[in-house]
Amino acid sequence: MAGFDCPARTYPSSPGVDQRTLMGAVTVDPATLYCLGASTDAATVAAELRQLGVRVEPVTAGTALAHKMIALAAHDLTDAELAETAAVTTDSWVHLVSSGPNYPHIPALARNNLVTRSARAYAPSLSEYVITQHVLHCAKDTFDDVPKPFHRRAALVVGYGAFGHTIAATLAELGATVTVVRPRSRTAHAFGSTEATPLDRLPNRFAHLMVVALPGLPEVTDFIDDALFRCLRLDGHLINPARSSPVDVVALLHWLATGTGRLTTDVETDERAELLRPWADKGRVTLTPHIAWRPWDGDPLYHRDWAAIFTTGTHTPSTMREQSLCLDPRTIAMDYLIP
């Protein structure tokens, strides 16, 4: 396609660098979104994107694509299929339908393409899961009066991305006293306050509810350890609607063994699920089958983040008959870019 002259890109791997300086702009054909992986749900997304004048076309792994817009369900592809896709995709905008980018060959894909992720679309659905599961948890107990799962309860939200902010605000609206943990600074803040408290100064056993709002990234693996578990009451409730790796399994098992608290978790590995099985048999652990992200009507949701990124692009004439769209990471919100 003529007229694609986007700037050269660099992609250094040094940590702590603004991601917007790592990936360069790409210029793509804005007419078609190519969907790779069954979870992209091309038929549903096609109806949603029609108003933007974008048609949707499913493709198979290994299809050579250049200067294109691609929705990628990386979890639907094998390691070999991801490797092949990374090798034949160039100068394109690749949007991951998931919020987590830690799949094989995504770094290789990002060296030659602009790669974004669905950082915000799932926040309401994940928040609804947390509220529902905590109400169900409280309903398991016998009360002399009507149970109040949130009002005047203390909640600790670990993570403050789109989901962390959404669930913190929701819990606060329901009357909970919410404390937010920011992993990068290793500090805690009362929701709505900028005053920081070191994590080691948080009170012991103060939280009735702890919500894991962290992505499954290597830098936050085992972040929720004994030091954070000491903040959760021994009869409290831990809810993790996302990847399990941020929760130190040894610390988790110790907390379960020490008190009467319960865990609700949505995405566990087979190995961890086996470790938790005895507690599930005792009614102390609820393992849900990866349903937290999914709304009741089956909408894949990621198209909302995709559309928000699409609107940041600049349309320019490419040939007499065609348009092109330039997408610059400097104009895209940071949380949409892969970390």
Side-chain angles (χ1 to χ4, degrees), residues 74 90 100 138 218 249 285 287 296 309:
T90 57
C138 291
V249 70
V285 169
L287 301 164
W296 68 270
I309 298 168

Side-chain angles (χ1 to χ4, degrees), residues 286-338:
T286 299
L287 301 164
T288 57
H290 201 178
I291 59 172
W293 66 273
R294 189 182 309 151
W296 68 270
D297 59 358
D299 187 329
L301 295 177
Y302 75 87
H303 60 84
R304 300 178 184 183
D305 284 349
W306 185 92
I309 298 168
F310 180 83
T311 58
T312 70
T314 303
H315 288 268
T316 56
S318 180
T319 69
M320 290 182 65
R321 295 183 179 180
E322 297 171 325
Q323 287 275 322
S324 63
L325 180 72
C326 182
L327 289 149
D328 190 330
R330 292 173 298 180
T331 65
I332 298 171
M334 180 67 108
D335 57 338
Y336 286 138
L337 301 172
I338 62 168

Side-chain angles (χ1 to χ4, degrees), residues 90-106:
T90 57
D91 299 303
S92 294
W93 168 31
V94 181
H95 183 75
L96 303 178
V97 306
S98 60
S99 59
N102 54 320
Y103 295 97
H105 309 291
I106 296 303

Side-chain angles (χ1 to χ4, degrees), residues 81-93:
E81 288 173 332
L82 279 172
E84 185 179 12
T85 298
V88 298
T89 304
T90 57
D91 299 303
S92 294
W93 168 31

Side-chain angles (χ1 to χ4, degrees), residues 3 13 46-48 123 131 179 219 301 320:
S13 59
E48 296 292 340
I131 298 302
T179 302
E219 50 265 42
L301 295 177
M320 290 182 65

